[in-house]
Amino acid sequence: MTIATSLLDCDALHHLRPNPVLFALPLLLLPAACADGGKQDTPQSVMPIAASHHLFGFRSLPGFGTFPIGGNLVFSDSGGLNLFLDSTYTISRPTGTSTPDRYAIDARGAFSVFVTGGSAEPSVVFRGGYGLVSTEGDFFFTDRVSTPNSQSIGLYYGTRIVAGQVELAGGWHLFSLHTIFDETILAPSNVGRAAHGGVSIATGDPGTVRGVSGAGQQSGSMGGPAALTFGGSIQNLLTTNNGTTGDGTCNLTLDYDTDSRVIVAAASGNETSGNIVFGLDSDESDGEAGIVFLVRKFDALAAPVESVRVPGTFLVGGHTLFVNPSNPGSDAFVGTVTLTSQFGFRLDAVGNQGMDFSYVGSYTLSPEGLLTISISGTNETWFAAIDRNYQTLVFVDDWVETRSNNIPELNLGIGVREKAQ
């Protein structure tokens, strides 16, 4: 198969003004003309996979137009990603299953999802990463190009479906990024809010509703985040074999202080311990929508994180919100995060306008697997967590920084460890 389009590899809007777009097209999962393209032959996957996966997607328009932000500027979706050994994939949704198209995973784990175009729309490629080192099958890919027929950009992510139970009780790191709708006061916090913290999930019988409680921080209008209390509940849904087996799907409700948010979610792990909960707040009618991740904490006393296993290179993708209410918008990016044994941090990425960008700094590591990242230049503090397999990294920028161009931003990203060659 030939990809019949010019290269659409574009960079982030970081430090640039987002282009205002005042309308949105209906959501199409994996739409044509929304990602990297290039005139090239589609390769066979070097690392073919035969598995089904939970799939979540969150996209938004590059420019949000005039404040306040409307819920019609973002697009959420969820379904199933099915990969086959012949390097084809399908997308399963309640309305049906897509026709097969091509994918490729190289030896490092770089993931390319090809979308064949039609009519006036070009064929395109979504770039991302697939975790090859562990058996969890965590993945992501990014939609980073806006065209007249498919203008939104964003992040897709998920994990492999494994039949059984997932035990959720215990401590978790929480990371999220939400777009905020229909607020009337001009403030960055009324465009977007990023948060991080720690929560505990209560014990209980398999498949029962468990309480969620904890505390953290959420971005405000300028500078560091403000204190936040988490609450809510989670349930691992067990629907087969007389209610004893599930596929990782969870009902999740998270309370941000008094703001209750219903999350579509799926967990990786097993009946002994869950590893990561992948979540999507897809309800645009209740004031916000966005992305949520829960990463299982290490046991600080019995089995703390091993610092020598953390360094390495991670293939990463993420979503950005530009939160100046006079110039709001969004971006999506793909690249790498490098963590060094000397506790150095570096993010090298490209977003939807084609120019490379980087963030550099240093990190400290807690026994529970939380990374506190000091970013040079913008004097921000970011946060990240590595999963207990040391293979998947989630990070958040919940600091509304001061910039000379007056375009502060919030970021949320996920990465999978690059497989050594």
Side-chain angles (χ1 to χ4, degrees):
M1 182 180 76
T2 300
I3 302 297
T5 182
S6 60
L7 185 65
L8 298 176
D9 201 10
C10 302
D11 189 43
L13 296 170
H14 296 247
H15 314 295
L16 299 175
R17 176 183 174 88
N19 297 319
V21 181
L22 300 181
F23 59 93
L25 296 177
L27 172 65
L28 295 175
L29 187 62
L30 301 185
C34 280
D36 295 332
K39 188 174 182 180
Q40 55 180 295
D41 291 330
T42 306
Q44 288 288 114
S45 183
V46 175
M47 305 294 293
I49 302 291
S52 295
H53 306 74
H54 299 282
L55 175 67
F56 303 100
F58 186 80
R59 299 183 294 121
S60 53
L61 295 183
F64 289 166
T66 303
F67 187 86
I69 311 304
N72 62 330
L73 302 178
V74 306
F75 310 94
S76 306
D77 212 346
S78 60
L81 172 66
N82 311 300
L83 302 182
F84 304 99
L85 291 178
D86 63 354
S87 299
T88 65
Y89 75 90
T90 61
I91 301 295
S92 299
R93 303 178 69 202
T95 55
T97 300
S98 68
T99 58
D101 215 325
R102 310 289 295 180
Y103 77 91
I105 302 174
D106 73 12
R108 301 176 303 119
F111 188 23
S112 298
V113 178
F114 299 87
V115 183
T116 302
S119 185
E121 289 294 286
S123 297
V124 295
V125 185
F126 293 82
R127 306 290 186 187
Y130 191 99
L132 295 176
V133 184
S134 74
T135 60
E136 299 278 335
D138 300 339
F139 71 90
F140 71 90
F141 51 88
T142 53
D143 167 355
R144 297 185 296 111
V145 171
S146 178
T147 70
N149 287 339
S150 188
Q151 300 180 28
S152 56
I153 53 180
L155 176 69
Y156 293 91
Y157 52 97
T159 189
R160 184 178 298 189
I161 292 173
V162 179
Q165 301 173 6
V166 181
E167 180 50 58
L168 300 169
W172 299 79
H173 305 288
L174 184 153
F175 304 90
S176 68
L177 179 64
H178 281 81
T179 305
I180 307 300
F181 310 127
D182 302 324
E183 296 288 345
T184 57
I185 299 175
L186 287 167
S189 60
N190 289 334
V191 176
R193 299 173 192 172
H196 83 279
V199 298
S200 178
I201 296 177
T203 59
D205 292 332
T208 58
V209 177
R210 314 286 188 83
V212 176
S213 60
Q217 301 179 105
Q218 181 170 255
S219 60
S221 291
M222 193 59 66
L228 182 68
T229 299
F230 293 112
S233 64
I234 188 169
Q235 180 182 19
N236 178 212
L237 298 181
L238 306 179
T239 58
T240 60
N241 294 333
N242 296 319
T244 62
T245 302
D247 64 0
T249 299
C250 297
N251 286 338
L252 173 61
T253 299
L254 286 175
D255 299 334
Y256 288 63
D257 287 335
T258 59
D259 182 7
S260 184
R261 307 177 187 181
V262 177
I263 313 297
V264 180
S268 65
N270 53 43
E271 68 277 2
T272 301
S273 178
N275 193 39
I276 299 179
V277 177
F278 298 79
L280 173 69
D281 183 347
S282 59
D283 186 359
E284 293 92 5
S285 68
D286 65 351
E288 67 279 313
I291 302 168
V292 176
F293 294 110
L294 299 179
V295 181
R296 170 76 74 172
K297 291 182 179 181
F298 287 79
D299 188 326
L301 296 178
V305 66
E306 300 176 40
S307 61
V308 295
R309 299 182 62 184
V310 172
T313 299
F314 295 81
L315 307 170
V316 302
H319 191 62
T320 300
L321 289 177
F322 302 102
V323 293
N324 181 341
S326 298
N327 191 14
S330 71
D331 193 17
F333 61 88
V334 66
T336 61
V337 161
T338 303
L339 302 175
T340 74
S341 57
Q342 293 78 34
F343 300 99
F345 170 89
R346 184 179 182 95
L347 167 64
D348 295 295
V350 60
N352 89 316
Q353 284 195 343
M355 296 180 294
D356 297 335
F357 68 91
S358 297
Y359 287 98
V360 297
S362 60
Y363 71 92
T364 60
L365 182 64
S366 81
E368 294 181 329
L370 180 70
L371 288 75
T372 301
I373 304 166
S374 299
I375 300 297
S376 302
T378 56
N379 297 317
E380 302 172 75
T381 301
W382 296 7
F383 297 90
I386 194 164
D387 78 320
R388 296 201 295 185
N389 294 320
Y390 297 91
Q391 304 306 320
T392 301
L393 182 78
V394 175
F395 61 94
V396 69
D397 156 22
D398 55 9
W399 189 288
V400 181
E401 75 283 5
T402 300
R403 292 183 181 267
S404 59
N405 60 5
N406 199 24
I407 307 179
E409 62 188 55
L410 302 171
N411 296 281
L412 181 71
I414 182 171
V416 293
R417 187 179 294 276
E418 184 179 68
K419 188 174 183 180
Q421 301 301 295

